[in-house]
Amino acid sequence: MVTVSDSKVTWLTQEAYNRLKQELDEAIENRPVIAAKINASREEGDLKENGGYHAAREEQGQAEARIRHLQELLRNAKVGEAPANDGLAEPGKVLTIRYDGDDDTEQFLLATREEGAEGDLDVFSPESPLGRALLGAKEGETREYELPSGASQKVTLIKAVPYNG
């Protein structure tokens, strides 16, 4: 679980670190499988019209990009504990909010996309307009942020509790 995130360091709980490390290890182990697909497709003949070859090369490119991303993320990660249950909006918390003029509430996880990949909750980055507006808010506090259209939206933090994955 992400507890604090900035441009250089991502704070993760031990469970999140282990999950991402396992994904990285599996991706590295899968390298020979993708290479074998490329070789098998290459042997089919003309590479200009060989869809299997091009698909395998695309898969290899995506896998290598994911490996590099995970390596960088884990290299700069700091492993720590989940945030305190103190009612403050911060990364690693599930926030319940109500938009001004709406009676319904919404819930989402304030974290990086990496952390929320496993759950059913929507994930909003602390760097998103809504995430930035709510960061540090106390339960019951109303904040305002700018929508992509340029209009302003008020939002009230109803509840902030640690994410339990």
Side-chain angles (χ1 to χ4, degrees):
M1 176 176 338
V2 174
T3 55
V4 176
S5 180
D6 65 26
S7 60
K8 294 187 176 144
V9 176
T10 299
W11 290 85
L12 301 169
T13 61
Q14 188 64 54
E15 295 82 24
Y17 182 89
N18 293 345
R19 179 176 50 82
L20 294 171
K21 178 74 170 99
Q22 180 180 352
E23 180 186 342
L24 174 61
D25 292 344
E26 289 171 3
I28 290 171
E29 287 173 18
N30 196 37
R31 278 176 164 161
V33 174
I34 296 172
K37 281 185 194 176
I38 291 171
N39 287 335
S41 296
R42 184 181 292 130
E43 291 172 5
E44 292 174 5
D46 186 5
L47 296 181
K48 291 180 186 173
E49 297 179 15
N50 188 332
Y53 173 78
H54 294 291
R57 293 286 299 174
E58 177 70 21
E59 181 182 356
Q60 181 185 42
Q62 290 174 353
E64 290 301 318
R66 181 67 178 158
I67 288 169
R68 284 190 305 277
H69 174 74
L70 287 172
Q71 286 172 332
E72 183 69 17
L73 180 73
L74 294 173
R75 184 175 19 260
N76 295 320
K78 300 291 184 199
V79 179
E81 290 303 310
N85 192 2
D86 55 9
L88 286 178
E90 57 188 346
K93 299 254 183 111
V94 176
L95 305 184
T96 304
I97 61 166
R98 180 179 299 118
Y99 292 103
D100 194 36
D102 195 352
D103 292 335
D104 295 331
T105 60
E106 291 185 25
Q107 268 193 343
F108 64 89
L109 174 62
L110 187 63
T112 65
R113 295 270 174 220
E114 290 301 332
E115 186 48 41
E118 295 291 306
D120 293 334
L121 283 171
D122 286 335
V123 179
F124 283 85
S125 165
E127 302 302 315
S128 69
L130 178 60
R132 276 196 310 267
L134 289 170
L135 209 54
K138 296 177 181 146
E139 291 178 355
E141 190 175 338
T142 299
R143 298 275 181 98
E144 194 169 341
Y145 69 102
E146 189 173 321
L147 299 171
S149 66
S152 290
Q153 175 68 54
K154 287 185 180 181
V155 62
T156 301
L157 179 64
I158 305 300
K159 191 170 192 175
V161 296
Y163 177 63
N164 294 322

